[in-house]
Amino acid sequence: MMIDFHSHILPCIDDGSSSVEMSLDMLADSFKQGIRTVIATPHCYLMKEKDIGKFLNNRQKSYKILKQAMENDGREFPRIVLGCELRIMKEIENMQELKKLCIEGTDYIMVEMPFKDWHVNYYDCLYEMILMGMKPIMAHIERFWNQRREFYNLYMLDLLYQVNAESILKFPQKHYVKKLFEEGAFHILGSDMHNTTTRPSKMKKAADTIVRAYGKERLDYLMQNAENILGNKPVEGRNFPVKRLFKSNKK
């Protein structure tokens, strides 16, 4: 039984599922793949403090509609845990209600970096979030592997890192995944599914590939980390030999 830590399955709230019917099909397919818990992480973009309340209201409405449809459908589905994928922007660390965006029942929060034009302020923002009691999880960290300075700055903050299932299955991302394992910078696995066609869940294929390429122990490690996060417990330390790729003073 697996936990999918990154998904866009709530209907009509972001660029993910475009209908309740699509959400149901995505969830049913996930269940067939062995997924028993899905973290719903719709995109969250904040320009002002009041945007937090708007996002939470929209998320709850979408979830309520989907939950009712799940109860009426008759198929088996994973349980849904609510969270978000928060885009890092300047000054969001000053928003008093930011912690409400954490994965429900926990202090963990999934955050997304922009693809380019990073500012020093972003690292300060992440640091301030940590001081506020939040525990950031970096979404699809493999996308930033080639941005070595930016990756190193994130790495020095001692964050948690999530990798997309699809990245384990194709080049060049699968090469980065190996490096992330070696660096101790791969803690969580998620599908990042958006629909049933161009971006479906590939969690089972990814899990099978991890077992075949790295051993079952590593898949178990990722799933145990996911369970710990949902229980608001610390993530386990690295269980694997680490080949240092960066020279740093980090211990």
Side-chain angles (χ1 to χ4, degrees):
M1 295 188 294
M2 293 187 290
I3 299 171
D4 181 354
F5 229 86
H6 186 165
S7 74
H8 297 269
I9 50 94
L10 295 183
C12 307
I13 192 173
D14 61 3
D15 63 339
S17 173
S18 58
S19 68
V20 173
E21 293 72 24
M22 179 179 287
S23 296
L24 293 174
D25 288 344
M26 292 165 70
L27 288 166
D29 178 64
S30 293
F31 191 89
K32 289 179 182 178
Q33 292 186 48
I35 307 299
R36 294 298 178 263
T37 301
V38 171
I39 316 304
T41 53
H43 290 291
C44 180
Y45 305 101
L46 304 177
M47 301 303 295
K48 350 176 166 176
E49 178 91 25
K50 65 181 181 180
D51 291 339
I52 296 175
K54 289 181 180 179
F55 171 83
L56 293 174
N57 287 336
N58 290 336
R59 188 185 68 179
Q60 187 60 33
K61 289 178 183 177
S62 179
Y63 171 70
K64 185 177 180 180
I65 292 171
L66 177 58
K67 187 68 173 175
Q68 185 63 57
M70 291 167 65
E71 292 172 358
N72 296 335
D73 186 274
R75 287 178 286 180
E76 292 186 291
F77 302 109
R79 74 173 177 127
I80 297 174
V81 176
L82 298 178
C84 77
E85 184 178 3
L86 175 66
R87 172 64 65 89
I88 292 296
M89 296 180 175
K90 291 182 178 180
E91 308 302 328
I92 64 169
E93 73 275 17
N94 296 323
M95 297 182 182
Q96 299 300 311
E97 297 189 327
L98 195 63
K99 201 168 182 179
K100 291 183 177 180
L101 299 174
C102 288
I103 296 166
E104 60 178 319
T106 82
D107 297 320
Y108 291 92
I109 183 168
M110 181 168 286
V111 297
E112 177 186 31
M113 299 298 284
F115 285 101
K116 59 181 180 178
D117 299 328
W118 291 17
H119 299 277
V120 173
N121 176 267
Y122 294 157
Y123 307 113
D124 293 338
C125 175
L126 289 166
Y127 182 66
E128 289 297 325
M129 290 172 68
I130 293 171
L131 293 180
M132 291 166 67
M134 288 177 271
K135 301 172 182 177
I137 302 170
M138 297 304 305
H140 37 63
I141 188 63
E142 71 277 11
R143 294 183 181 180
F144 308 114
W145 178 259
N146 281 338
Q147 301 179 48
R148 303 310 294 276
R149 183 182 66 180
E150 289 83 358
F151 186 94
Y152 178 72
N153 287 338
L154 291 176
Y155 185 79
M156 291 300 290
L157 284 172
D158 198 24
L159 309 173
L160 295 179
Y161 306 100
Q162 177 261 318
V163 171
N164 284 356
E166 186 175 31
S167 297
I168 296 166
L169 305 173
K170 64 181 184 180
F171 288 104
Q173 290 93 331
K174 63 191 303 184
H175 174 70
Y176 305 156
V177 169
K178 178 178 181 294
K179 300 296 185 183
L180 289 167
F181 262 134
E182 292 174 347
E183 269 302 311
F186 181 177
H187 303 101
I188 310 294
L189 182 65
S191 68
D192 198 6
M193 58 178 170
H194 279 62
N195 52 50
T196 55
T197 53
T198 58
R199 298 183 70 179
S201 172
K202 296 182 179 179
M203 285 287 286
K204 186 177 187 307
K205 289 182 179 179
D208 291 345
T209 299
I210 290 172
V211 171
R212 185 169 59 252
Y214 305 105
K216 187 175 182 299
E217 185 183 9
R218 295 205 181 189
L219 179 63
D220 291 343
Y221 167 77
L222 298 174
M223 291 303 115
Q224 185 60 57
N225 286 345
E227 288 185 16
N228 286 355
I229 289 172
L230 292 181
N232 206 29
K233 300 175 183 177
V235 166
E236 295 180 354
R238 301 174 204 153
N239 297 332
F240 314 105
V242 176
K243 178 182 176 182
R244 301 305 304 169
L245 298 180
F246 303 124
K247 292 182 179 179
S248 73
N249 295 320
K250 182 179 177 181
K251 298 181 180 179

